[in-house]
Amino acid sequence: MQSANMLLRRIVRGSVLPLATHHGMKKDLFPLSRTLSLSLCLKQDKSCEPSEKLDLDEWKKVMKSGLQEEVSEMVSEPKELSSLAAARETLEMWRLAGRAVPENMSEEQLKTFMECPSKSAKKKYLKYLHLKELYKKNDKRKMDEKRERKLEAQDQDSKTEETKKSPFVCLWSRTMDKAYNWRAAQSMIFGQPLVFDMSFEKEMSVREVSNAVRQIVMSESSNRRSVDPFHIHFCNFKDDSLYHREFIKNYREAWDKLLITVTDQCYTEIFPKDKLIYLTADSPQVMKAFDHDKIYIVGSLVDKSIKRGVSLARAKRLGLETAALPLDKYLLWSTGAKNLTLDQMMHILLTLKDTGDWKKALEFVPKRKYCDFVNKPVKELKKTLDLISTLKLGKGREKVEKQFAKNYPKRYKLK
């Protein structure tokens, strides 16, 4: 048995150690203190039969296979590292050549790039990474700009707050608020009533109701700041309705302090019918002049939700007089509906009440809806509109253009 151990040690030293020293692993692979030994059965059990022999060929195969696996693992790592370095050099060359290559790539992305089956696939993958990197940079730039704008807005707000805190500005604002409130209080006693009909909640969605309330809030603000304000009435107003909730959102604690009249009664129960005039764009009657003895009613609707004839039908059911603004008489209408917002109606009525001038009042109509003011009667204006429609259709264009140039100045020429 001792002779077998000696022979085995010589074989291992002669075959394995030179290979290990060639790869630089002589001390780590086989420590000097380590010796080959047989199984515990051979050492401890002395009763083993001498007929059991050690198969040296099998032992050699096992030792050689284990050594080759360890050596292959040690050798594969430098190969992989070298391939990644080569891939990075290739990418750097492509970047210098002006191709769409990302600036930073992780090892996983490099491995995916190396595993691409063809050159076109590699180019597509690099282009994808390049665009992804550009999007990230763009998002970061936008976030930085947004942060800078936010900081600038905060600085401006702080400056405005400092100016608001100045004693002179505070004194002036308090004085003006007192003057405005005094005018509104005077209008509740001596002012001309103006009614907002709040019975159209079912005709609008929640978003449209919020838009209508926002326009009414602006109308109330402009009325309170006017020289001769109206006495505003909210009729057909129900508690805990959509209108009510939206008004509380906008006014908060100031809702109970507003100098207006809010009631759930209909306007026909408060005012005599012969003094009421319902303003609607669908009315066949045209308003000629502002009457200070009449009480005008405005429907609390928004442009997008107006169904043709809704307010007119309500006025007819109640037996009220109706009127429409003379937009066709004073404006050369271009595009869009002839329905105006509630705050625009308030500005027009306030201007008519103060000046009686239709031209000044209709300046609050959005300029995108009309071409210019005209000082022509209604019949001639209809002819003009017919000419415009004929020009758009292209029938007899030259003849119509000559006729149009004779009747109207150059500023009305169509392009």
Side-chain angles (χ1 to χ4, degrees), residues 30 42 78 144 171 197 253 303 307 325 365 378:
F30 294 104
L42 295 175
D144 294 338
L171 179 62
D197 188 1
E253 295 84 5
D303 289 344
K307 297 178 181 178
L325 297 180
V365 178
V378 180

Side-chain angles (χ1 to χ4, degrees), residues 219-313:
S219 302
E220 189 274 331
S221 176
S222 59
N223 178 68
R224 189 166 54 91
R225 286 172 169 79
S226 64
V227 179
D228 186 13
F230 287 103
H231 178 197
I232 295 178
H233 287 72
F234 289 168
C235 294
N236 298 315
F237 190 90
K238 296 179 181 179
D239 291 336
D240 201 21
S241 60
L242 281 176
Y243 282 116
H244 191 193
R245 291 195 289 269
E246 290 296 328
F247 275 119
I248 291 174
K249 284 182 184 178
N250 285 271
Y251 283 110
R252 298 181 183 179
E253 295 84 5
W255 167 247
D256 296 327
K257 300 177 183 179
L258 289 178
L259 296 173
I260 59 175
T261 300
V262 181
T263 179
D264 58 349
Q265 293 180 334
C266 185
Y267 31 83
T268 55
E269 300 174 3
I270 304 172
F271 307 105
K273 285 188 177 182
D274 57 347
K275 287 191 174 183
L276 294 175
I277 298 178
Y278 209 114
L279 297 176
T280 173
D282 301 321
S283 175
Q285 303 294 328
V286 179
M287 183 178 174
K288 297 180 180 179
F290 185 86
D291 194 345
H292 294 269
D293 295 328
K294 295 291 186 179
I295 300 170
Y296 294 98
I297 305 170
V298 179
S300 299
L301 291 166
V302 295
D303 289 344
K304 292 182 180 178
S305 69
I306 286 181
K307 297 178 181 178
R308 190 170 182 82
V310 174
S311 55
L312 180 63

Side-chain angles (χ1 to χ4, degrees), residues 10 34 45 75 98 100 120 134 170 220 254 324 347 360 366 373 376 389:
R10 289 178 183 177
R34 185 176 178 182
D45 193 6
V75 172
S120 62
L134 289 178
C170 293
E220 189 274 331
H347 284 297
K360 288 183 179 179
F373 285 91
K376 301 286 182 180
S389 61

Side-chain angles (χ1 to χ4, degrees), residues 54 320 334 341 358 361:
L54 183 64
L320 300 178
S334 176
T341 60
W358 279 105

Side-chain angles (χ1 to χ4, degrees), residues 104-154:
N104 299 316
M105 288 184 66
S106 62
E107 291 186 0
E108 295 180 358
Q109 292 175 347
L110 279 173
K111 289 178 183 178
T112 308
F113 168 72
M114 293 164 60
E115 291 173 358
C116 291
S118 61
K119 191 174 180 181
S120 62
K122 290 181 179 179
K123 288 181 180 179
K124 290 180 180 179
Y125 181 67
L126 291 176
K127 187 176 180 181
Y128 160 73
L129 293 178
H130 178 65
L131 292 175
K132 189 177 179 181
E133 192 176 51
L134 289 178
Y135 287 143
K136 284 184 178 179
K137 288 183 179 179
N138 194 19
D139 292 339
K140 187 179 179 182
R141 179 182 59 80
K142 288 181 179 178
M143 289 296 291
D144 294 338
E145 291 178 355
K146 188 176 180 181
R147 194 178 296 109
E148 290 178 359
R149 288 196 298 269
K150 190 175 181 181
L151 292 174
E152 290 178 357
Q154 289 177 357

